[in-house]
Amino acid sequence: MSGRRALVGIKRVVDYLTKVRVKPDGSGVELKNVKMSINPFCEIALEEAIRMKEARLVDEVVVASVGPKDVDTALRSALALGADRALHVKLAPDAPATEPLAVAKILRAMVLKESPKVVLLGKQAIDDDANQTAQMLAGLLGWPQVSLQPGCNTTAQIGQTRVDEDCIVMTLSITTVN
């Protein structure tokens, strides 16, 4: 397939409708027997990539995730929603939580290998609210980045997006990566 692809980062998190419990020792959230799903903001990014494919702006939607074997369920869900391929960097089940910079470095390697036209990430994860991976990835790649966009109107080469931040609304025109 051609290089007209969208790469979408997917994070597996505790389902947003699940009531979380703190571990008895207070060291974190209890994850045993808890429903996990795609981070809702990552799902929004995936939906936008699928819209781009339907508009024939990209030919392929590739989802990528970093985590233990259980992340496969989130990737399968993304494939069911319309992604064409899934990439999984598997971590050991007992590996510590992956920090945003480590994920950004892994995603950078995927971007260099896959050569996507556009990379879409959710604005933040609902588990840690870090909101850092996208900015770090853009910095590592030396690419410009648009964040906190509620919607996107994309044409063949130019995207127009509305950014809402602290009561300031801007409409930006952006050029996609060739």
Side-chain angles (χ1 to χ4, degrees):
M1 191 153 274
S2 75
R4 290 180 10 130
R5 68 179 50 96
L7 180 68
V8 182
I10 297 291
K11 185 172 185 182
R12 178 178 156 265
V13 296
V14 174
D15 188 85
Y16 72 97
L17 295 174
T18 300
K19 184 175 180 174
V20 295
R21 295 181 318 271
V22 177
K23 290 181 180 178
D25 64 2
S27 65
V29 175
E30 182 60 58
L31 297 178
K32 291 181 182 172
N33 301 318
V34 173
K35 182 180 178 190
M36 304 295 276
S37 63
I38 297 173
N39 179 54
F41 296 112
C42 296
E43 196 166 338
I44 292 168
L46 174 58
E47 289 169 2
E48 189 61 40
I50 292 167
R51 280 190 210 99
M52 292 174 75
K53 183 178 175 189
E54 290 169 350
R56 300 186 191 282
L57 300 173
V58 296
D59 298 322
E60 181 181 36
V61 175
V62 180
V63 292
S65 193
V66 178
K69 184 178 181 339
D70 297 347
V71 170
D72 285 349
T73 57
L75 291 173
R76 279 195 295 275
S77 294
L79 291 168
L81 289 170
D84 297 298
R85 285 190 299 130
L87 305 174
H88 182 186
V89 174
K90 292 181 182 167
L91 300 177
D94 58 348
T98 311
E99 295 296 322
L101 181 57
V103 174
K105 288 179 178 180
I106 292 168
L107 288 174
R108 178 184 179 274
M110 290 179 176
V111 167
L112 295 176
K113 183 177 187 298
E114 292 289 324
S115 301
K117 178 178 181 178
V118 64
V119 178
L120 300 168
L121 302 176
K123 73 170 187 165
Q124 67 193 66
I126 63 171
D127 58 356
D128 60 12
D129 281 340
N131 187 15
Q132 297 174 340
T133 306
Q135 292 85 335
M136 290 177 178
L137 176 60
L140 290 169
L141 290 168
W143 286 8
Q145 180 232 355
V146 177
S147 61
L148 301 173
Q149 63 178 25
C152 191
N153 177 14
T154 312
T155 60
Q157 289 297 320
I158 302 295
Q160 197 171 59
T161 185
R162 192 179 123 178
V163 180
D164 298 331
E165 186 171 349
D166 296 332
C167 300
I168 299 171
V169 178
M170 300 176 284
T171 301
L172 306 172
S173 293
I174 53 175
T175 304
T176 58
V177 177
N178 291 328

